[in-house]
Amino acid sequence: MGNWRRICINWAPFPSETAEKDYNRQEKFRGNTLREDWIPGRLLGGGGNDDGPRCVILTGEAPYIQEIVLPLGHSFVVQGSNGEFPFLTSSERLEVVSRARQALPKDKLLLAGSGCESTQATVEMTVSMAQVGADAAMVVTPCYYRGRMSSAALIHHYTKVADLSPVPVVLYSVPANTGLDLPVDAVVTLSQHPNIVGIKDSGGDVTRIGLIVHKTRSQDFQVLAGSAGFLLASYAIGAVGGVCALANVLGSQVCQLERLCLTGQWEDAQKLQHRLIEPNTAVTQRFGIPGLKKTMDWFGYYGGPCRSPLQELSPAQEEALRLDFASNGWL
């Protein structure tokens, strides 16, 4: 299983930090993996719609981090797809990372989504997030000009970001949102970069995930499943963990699935995976962020409103969402 040791060896100090600070940051990665980066960006999100408060950090969110995340994993993610990051200003995105860092013990790794459309903006956001406390950056593929996002263009983009990033970089492919799969050949090339440590793949193509694992096996490169719906299958073909929206509401169950896979209890893992598929689809493909926030409210966490143009669920949609959880024994 991969770890962060390669980053410690090949660390490129960021000019604004002292050598001592660089060494201390490197040490945080020793013996850690992304295996338990379960909790995605919705932990700290939009914080209000166009008719309500615009603050990003809401009262209940720091306690949520302390009570839910810390017992489950070594690290977590903010500013992923469920964090509504496209709807936040640059200053809000940085505030989310800063507040999350303040709420977490120093030994908890913080992975922050820093992707923007241009290479320069991504570099600047990545550097800024590192300065406010991110330990690693998760960089989504630029996609507005997707017709021109060839392997060469994406390799150039990620190489530039990784060259200038003061923290390790995790590639992020989420074709459901971007309409763009990060090509396997580009992933293989980028896996050789000393400051690119892994990929979160949310496409759901298990054969692709297996191929990436196979093609990068000689590198210290970690492959993470991007959804709980195919987590078992991803473990079976060599992934080392996942970043899963469903963990916001069924965190202990998702972590239990991980434990069953890692200990070879495949029959029990299969049974649990089956019960997670419909709820996972409901809070991702079917009802998205509004569905995820609604279920967080049901389970006693803070979900809250979405930022416009996302809309709240209709009563009929809410009932269908409830059925997907209840029929599998979760409500």
Side-chain angles (χ1 to χ4, degrees), residues 37-319:
D37 277 6
W38 295 114
I39 310 300
R42 179 48 220 128
L43 287 177
L44 299 168
N49 55 30
D50 288 346
D51 301 317
R54 299 290 292 185
C55 62
V56 177
I57 308 302
L58 300 175
T59 304
E61 291 182 331
Y64 177 69
I65 291 174
Q66 294 167 8
E67 294 171 12
I68 303 303
V69 177
L70 302 190
L72 296 180
H74 298 305
S75 51
F76 75 102
V77 179
V78 293
Q79 300 292 295
S81 294
N82 293 290
E84 299 178 86
F85 78 88
F87 299 161
L88 303 184
T89 66
S90 295
S91 61
E92 287 172 332
R93 291 179 69 179
L94 293 175
E95 186 181 2
V96 167
V97 177
S98 177
R99 295 292 186 93
R101 181 73 275 169
Q102 293 170 31
L104 289 172
K106 292 182 179 179
D107 63 339
K108 301 292 183 179
L109 294 175
L110 175 60
L111 180 62
S114 64
C116 302
E117 280 300 307
S118 77
T119 303
Q120 182 62 33
T122 303
V123 168
E124 292 176 0
M125 181 61 71
T126 302
V127 170
S128 296
M129 284 186 170
Q131 290 172 336
V132 297
D135 296 302
M138 186 173 73
V139 181
V140 70
T141 51
C143 62
Y144 188 82
Y145 298 108
R146 66 178 55 85
R148 298 297 299 169
M149 291 298 102
S150 62
S151 290
L154 291 167
I155 290 171
H156 178 270
H157 171 75
Y158 279 108
T159 299
K160 190 71 171 180
V161 172
D163 284 346
L164 298 176
S165 173
V167 294
V169 170
V170 175
L171 312 174
Y172 182 21
S173 181
V174 54
N177 291 347
T178 64
L180 177 69
D181 248 330
L182 185 54
V184 172
D185 67 297
V187 176
V188 173
T189 298
L190 292 167
S191 72
Q192 302 170 48
H193 193 289
N195 203 30
I196 296 177
V197 298
I199 181 172
K200 175 191 175 186
D201 195 312
S202 297
D205 184 343
V206 178
T207 58
R208 168 188 156 90
I209 292 174
L211 184 60
I212 292 174
V213 170
H214 177 63
K215 292 287 189 180
T216 62
R217 65 191 183 281
S218 63
Q219 305 298 325
D220 194 358
F221 187 79
Q222 300 180 59
V223 180
L224 306 172
S227 184
F230 49 89
L231 190 58
L232 182 153
S234 297
Y235 269 119
I237 46 82
V240 300
V243 181
C244 307
L246 187 63
N248 279 292
V249 289
L250 296 178
S252 62
Q253 291 84 353
V254 174
C255 287
Q256 175 65 11
L257 179 57
E258 177 220 20
R259 287 189 290 269
L260 292 171
C261 292
L262 292 178
T263 55
Q265 300 179 65
W266 295 108
E267 185 175 349
D268 289 339
Q270 184 185 74
K271 292 177 181 178
L272 179 55
Q273 176 71 90
H274 288 167
R275 295 175 61 208
L276 294 176
I277 290 174
E278 284 184 310
N280 180 76
T281 300
V283 300
T284 55
Q285 300 172 26
R286 192 174 181 191
F287 299 115
I289 292 173
L292 179 59
K293 288 190 171 186
K294 177 58 67 176
T295 55
M296 289 177 71
D297 289 336
W298 290 345
F299 280 81
Y301 311 134
Y302 179 80
C306 301
R307 279 206 172 171
S308 179
L310 288 177
Q311 298 293 298
E312 306 302 314
L313 299 182
S314 69
Q317 290 173 327
E318 186 173 330
E319 182 58 32

